[in-house]
Amino acid sequence: REYTPPANDVALEAIVGPIQPFASGNTTVYLRARNNGADTLRSFTVNWSVNGSSQTAYNWTGSLPSGQSIDSLPIGTFSFQPATYHQVQAVGSLPNGQPDARPQNDTTRMDSLYPALIGGYTIGPNSADFTSFTEATRALERGGMLGSVLFNVQDGTYQEHISLGSILGNSPQDTIVFQSINQDSAKVTLENSTSNPLFTLNGPSHLTFQNLTLRHTGGRLLVLKGSTRDVRIRKVHFLQSPSATSGNYVGLTLESANRHDSVRVIRSQFDNGGYGIDAYGPLYNHTKNFQVRNCRFNEQQDGAIYLSEFDQVTITDNIIQNSQAPNFSYEGIELNDLDGLNLTGNQVFASGGERAMKLFDVDGTSGNPVLVANNFAASLDSSSNGGDGIEIDNSNYLPFYHN
């Protein structure tokens, strides 16, 4: 039996705009409508609302043949508020001035519309834009960004754990910064006492953390996973409880499933835990351009810096000290399967350890040169049984000067 459409039937198929990311303030709302009636559609009405608040109705006139659609029909403007949830609903009626024969296709809705962020914001308890890191990162995830975003964090301790996914609009030009508003890491502490990592980056890139303290009573502090790349860490204090000595208690973790290129750790401090930095790249597609410069590592149980499957690594001018009871699996710096390395100017005091530095399968090439120079490496246990200062194994084209 052949279907015969009713004479007058307007269907609102979807709200198609604004498209995220979009700016807060007055923004046009668009929808797509279709003539499902047999007669040419010459007029209809759209009643629409935002978060249940009715807006001025839109009355369309024109000529739309049967079976055809209108894309991007501007039904009005609304002042979208920053970092705020918006639900837009539209209902069509009166096709050609007549009752709609099929009202079940008259309504469409778009949920979870959030304006994008751009510029500077505050996090904190005192008349800030966001009361917590969680609130700020949710606004980023939901609305995206239209330019660089800077979060200035007010003094205080923030008890939470955060997982930040990919961000619409995030790019090398449009970056994200979290920093102490007073440029003092001792005044801003992000703390976690659960088993979850304190801060997980699962996709966003081009981020900077600076002048913050990250503290955990026993777990991982900052974890990079997904496609996260280009992360800068400056003047950040990674602090574990002195009793948190397991190898699972790590300051900075890079997981191996994806490449995390261009990570730079500068003038930061790592205290306690199993490892300061525990980082793996993909086995056959190495992570590239990893830097640790002018940092201090104190009292890690298993090692300060562990890297595996990396290319183009720079580890310079760091101080590593471990005065704990002897742990014969300890290595101050352990590097496995690297192509391209600048290991210079470091001081490693592994007074309870097996090796101050261990380099295994570290190779130099014309494109990825290696230099090991001007390092001080000491490894002695309490009974004066010396460990290894620097152990090099299965490595080629490795210039070694003035250590």
Side-chain angles (χ1 to χ4, degrees):
R1 181 179 179 182
E2 185 175 345
Y3 171 72
T4 302
N8 299 296
D9 178 15
V10 61
L12 301 191
E13 294 186 321
I15 293 168
V16 296
I19 298 173
Q20 292 179 296
F22 67 93
S24 60
N26 287 329
T27 302
T28 302
V29 176
Y30 298 89
L31 63 75
R32 183 173 67 247
R34 180 181 178 88
N35 180 8
N36 280 348
D39 292 351
T40 296
L41 187 61
R42 302 190 184 280
S43 67
F44 65 89
T45 297
V46 177
N47 291 284
W48 63 289
S49 63
V50 180
N51 292 346
S53 177
S54 296
Q55 307 298 307
T56 301
Y58 174 78
N59 295 297
W60 179 85
T61 58
S63 179
L64 186 64
S66 176
Q68 300 298 304
S69 296
I70 306 173
D71 291 318
S72 301
L73 185 67
I75 61 173
T77 62
F78 183 79
S79 182
F80 289 88
Q81 298 305 300
T84 301
Y85 169 89
H86 299 87
Q87 180 196 80
V88 180
Q89 179 170 291
V91 181
S93 62
L94 299 175
N96 294 329
Q98 302 299 313
D100 197 304
R102 298 180 71 231
Q104 61 266 35
N105 62 18
D106 289 351
T107 301
T108 186
R109 186 174 71 192
M110 179 179 281
D111 292 320
S112 301
L113 271 175
Y114 288 82
L117 303 185
I118 183 172
Y121 300 88
T122 52
I123 298 174
N126 301 315
S127 303
D129 298 297
F130 304 100
T131 61
S132 66
F133 282 82
T134 299
E135 192 177 280
T137 54
R138 281 178 180 169
L140 260 182
E141 285 187 313
R142 290 166 172 170
M145 52 196 292
L146 286 172
S148 292
V149 174
L150 169 64
F151 293 108
N152 283 305
V153 187
Q154 296 174 353
D155 296 352
T157 297
Y158 298 81
Q159 294 272 356
E160 48 190 320
H161 57 88
I162 300 104
S163 181
L164 181 60
S166 298
I167 308 299
L168 284 171
N170 186 208
S171 72
Q173 294 75 39
D174 299 322
T175 61
I176 304 165
V177 177
F178 293 90
Q179 67 175 19
S180 162
I181 196 170
N182 290 312
Q183 303 297 308
D184 186 347
S185 63
K187 292 184 177 180
V188 174
T189 298
L190 181 58
E191 185 175 57
N192 182 24
S193 58
T194 74
S195 60
N196 297 295
L198 177 64
F199 209 127
T200 301
L201 301 177
N202 192 8
S205 296
H206 321 298
L207 290 94
T208 297
F209 296 87
Q210 58 190 19
N211 297 296
L212 303 170
T213 292
L214 306 181
R215 184 166 64 198
H216 207 309
T217 56
R220 298 191 292 175
L221 288 169
L222 180 59
V223 178
L224 275 58
K225 58 193 303 184
S227 58
T228 294
R229 302 186 182 192
D230 187 19
V231 177
R232 305 183 186 195
I233 299 164
R234 296 194 187 101
K235 297 184 180 179
V236 173
H237 188 187
F238 293 81
L239 180 59
Q240 299 270 12
S241 167
S243 62
T245 57
S246 165
N248 296 322
Y249 302 153
V250 180
L252 173 63
T253 302
L254 276 64
E255 295 191 349
S256 63
N258 298 90
R259 279 174 50 176
H260 305 293
D261 292 350
S262 300
V263 174
R264 282 152 281 190
V265 187
I266 302 167
R267 299 179 66 186
S268 295
Q269 182 167 322
F270 296 75
D271 287 336
N272 308 318
Y275 288 96
I277 297 174
D278 188 27
Y280 295 80
L283 181 59
Y284 300 110
N285 187 20
H286 287 186
T287 291
K288 300 182 184 298
N289 190 21
F290 185 85
Q291 300 181 23
V292 184
R293 297 190 280 118
N294 298 105
C295 295
R296 189 171 188 108
F297 297 80
N298 298 312
E299 308 302 337
Q300 280 76 43
Q301 177 70 19
D302 296 311
I305 301 171
Y306 178 87
L307 304 181
S308 181
E309 320 296 341
F310 279 72
D311 292 347
Q312 302 164 15
V313 171
T314 298
I315 301 175
T316 61
D317 301 313
N318 301 287
I319 298 174
I320 297 170
Q321 187 155 359
N322 177 29
S323 61
Q324 299 187 49
N327 173 14
F328 295 111
S329 65
Y330 177 89
E331 278 110 11
I333 298 174
E334 182 176 1
L335 309 175
N336 293 318
D337 196 4
L338 269 61
D339 292 329
L341 170 67
N342 179 2
L343 182 65
T344 57
N346 300 285
Q347 301 177 54
V348 183
F349 303 90
S351 57
E354 184 180 29
R355 301 176 185 91
M357 299 184 187
K358 179 182 178 181
L359 281 62
F360 180 83
D361 196 13
V362 175
D363 299 319
T365 67
S366 59
N368 291 314
V370 169
L371 177 63
V372 179
N374 301 311
N375 299 289
F376 180 89
S379 180
L380 290 173
D381 67 32
S382 58
S383 61
S384 300
N385 294 318
D388 296 325
I390 303 177
E391 178 184 320
I392 300 173
D393 191 14
N394 199 38
S395 299
N396 301 291
Y397 304 105
L398 195 154
F400 188 87
Y401 303 118
H402 309 298
N403 296 288

